[in-house]
């Protein structure tokens, strides 16, 4: 088992797609901080004001103008949360999973390793392990990049760490949702054995087009008399879009539950399918 994980590590860090996606994510992270700083500057300019007061001057009246403004600050923890929360990130995760899994069938890795492990389904578990490790690594990389990029603007704006205990809970909840959606991608790619299908689903999820499907399901439920249920409230991609410091506790708990259920269910099904089919 551990030998399989070590081989996955070796293959993953040498996959060119992973290098390209990582570079894109780093660039997007830097761009996000720059845009936040530019938006803050525009907001500060728009909110600056002049106050005119009437005062006595040698028996007459004069207007004295007092310039004002607002203080601005870059919150590192807030920007990091905004960087990892968008469901658009799932496009990149889906591409990595699709190409990575398809690559091991294409280059014969599955056939060479499949007979050396007790159950072929462990290949699916190893994919979840590698995506969990990659997600945690990207958490660390993106946090450092957000912090370093923010320091560039330290001379213009107040840069604060801004950590609150709730941020840690939010980050863990988002991680659980990442794993749930990654498990779904692994299931689809393992079943279809096609990178095109996996990438297509990643595009649908990442660009929010699943909302159309959820609305259709809700409409059908209403037709059969179920009016109090909204399926989108229990789907990982929809919940991820609501993750922020202002997210209510019940939504955070739902994120952990939904992420955990999706992760366990999709990986178990993937392992069963992999064990039953020839490689």
């Amino acid at each position: 088992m551990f030998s399989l994980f070590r081989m996955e590590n070796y293959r993953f860090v040498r996959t060119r797609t992973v290098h390209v996606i990582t570079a894109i994510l780093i660039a997007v992270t830097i761009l996000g901080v720059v845009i936040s700083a530019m938006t803050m500057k525009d907001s500060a300019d728009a909110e600056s004001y002049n106050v005119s007061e009437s005062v006595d001057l040698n028996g007459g009246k004069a207007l004295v103008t007092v310039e004002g403004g607002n203080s601005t600050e870059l919150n590192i923890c807030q920007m990091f949360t905004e960087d990892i929360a968008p469901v658009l990130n799932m496009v990149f995760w889906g591409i990595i999973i699709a190409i990575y899994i398809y690559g091991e069938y294409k280059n014969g890795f599955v056939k060479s390793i499949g007979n050396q492990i007790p159950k072929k389904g462990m290949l699916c578990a190893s994919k979840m392990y590698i995506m969990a490790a990659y997600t945690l690594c990207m958490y660390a990389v993106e946090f450092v990049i957000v912090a370093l990029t923010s320091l560039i603007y330290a001379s213009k704006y107040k840069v604060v760490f801004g950590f609150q205990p709730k941020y840690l809970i939010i980050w863990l909840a988002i991680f659980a949702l990442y794993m749930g959606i990654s498990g779904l991608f692994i299931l689809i790619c393992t079943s279809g054995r096609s990178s095109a299908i996996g990438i297509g689903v990643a595009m649908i999820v990442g660009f929010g087009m699943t909302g159309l499907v959820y609305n259709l399901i809700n409409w059908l439920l209403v037709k059969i008399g179920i009016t109090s249920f909204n399926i989108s409230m229990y789907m990982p991609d929809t919940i991820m879009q609501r993750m922020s410091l202002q997210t209510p506790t019940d939504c955070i708990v739902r994120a952990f539950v939904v992420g955990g259920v999706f992760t366990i269910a999709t990986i178990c099904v993937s392992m069963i399918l992999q064990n039953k089919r020839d490689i």
Side-chain angles (χ1 to χ4, degrees), residues 104-105 108-117 119-121 123 190 193 273-279:
E104 68 182 14
Y105 284 100
F109 175 80
V110 172
K111 290 184 178 180
S112 63
I113 198 66
N115 297 324
Q116 301 179 30
I117 55 179
K119 291 184 178 296
K120 298 188 293 289
L123 290 169
T190 301
R193 295 188 180 182
L273 292 177
Q274 187 77 312
N275 284 329
K276 289 185 176 181
R277 63 194 303 182
D278 295 330
I279 57 175

Side-chain angles (χ1 to χ4, degrees), residues 25-272:
L25 289 171
I26 291 174
V28 170
T29 301
I30 296 174
L31 182 61
V33 177
V34 173
I35 292 175
S36 296
M38 293 174 62
T39 303
M40 184 174 296
K41 180 181 183 299
D42 293 339
S43 299
D45 293 340
E47 294 179 13
S48 63
Y49 58 87
N50 292 327
V51 179
S52 297
E53 298 180 351
S54 178
V55 297
D56 290 323
L57 184 61
N58 294 328
K61 296 288 185 178
L63 289 177
V64 178
T65 300
V66 181
E67 295 185 353
N70 78 321
S71 59
T72 56
E73 66 178 26
L74 290 173
N75 188 319
I76 292 176
C77 288
Q78 178 183 342
M79 288 189 294
F80 173 68
T81 304
E82 294 172 350
D83 183 63
I84 63 174
V87 73
L88 181 62
N89 290 342
M90 291 298 96
V91 173
F92 301 111
W93 261 245
I95 292 174
I96 288 177
I97 292 172
I99 295 179
Y100 185 71
I101 291 179
Y102 176 72
E104 68 182 14
Y105 284 100
K106 183 178 179 181
N107 60 26
F109 175 80
V110 172
K111 290 184 178 180
S112 63
I113 198 66
N115 297 324
Q116 301 179 30
I117 55 179
K119 291 184 178 296
K120 298 188 293 289
M122 296 309 299
L123 290 169
C124 299
S126 67
K127 301 301 180 295
M128 179 56 72
Y129 152 75
I130 205 68
M131 291 312 299
Y134 180 72
T135 302
L136 291 175
C137 289
M138 288 309 301
Y139 260 36
V141 170
E142 292 181 16
F143 188 88
V144 171
I145 290 174
V146 168
L148 294 178
T149 308
S150 299
L151 293 178
I152 297 176
Y153 295 94
S155 61
K156 296 182 179 180
Y157 310 109
K158 180 181 179 182
V159 178
V160 297
F161 187 62
F163 178 77
Q164 299 181 34
K166 188 176 180 180
Y167 272 126
L168 182 59
I169 300 175
I170 293 293
W171 299 340
L172 291 174
I174 294 174
F175 176 79
L177 295 172
Y178 268 63
M179 293 301 96
I181 298 176
S182 296
L184 178 62
F185 291 156
I186 292 172
L187 172 59
I188 293 172
C189 294
T190 301
S191 303
R193 295 188 180 182
S194 171
S195 60
I197 297 175
I199 294 174
V201 173
M203 294 289 184
I204 292 173
V205 173
F207 290 115
M209 289 182 283
T210 52
L212 300 175
V213 179
Y214 302 154
N215 289 336
L216 176 60
I217 295 175
N218 288 332
W219 179 78
L220 294 174
L221 291 176
V222 171
K223 288 296 182 181
I224 62 177
I226 303 176
T227 59
S228 59
F229 182 78
N230 185 352
I231 191 173
S232 64
M233 295 180 62
Y234 303 93
M235 302 305 291
D237 56 322
T238 306
I239 298 175
M240 187 182 295
Q241 298 176 23
R242 302 173 181 173
M243 290 290 102
S244 68
L245 193 62
Q246 289 72 40
T247 303
T249 303
D250 62 328
C251 187
I252 297 175
V253 173
R254 195 183 314 128
F256 279 109
V257 174
V258 170
V261 169
F262 263 76
T263 302
I264 296 173
T266 53
I267 291 303
C268 287
V269 174
S270 297
M271 293 177 68
I272 292 173

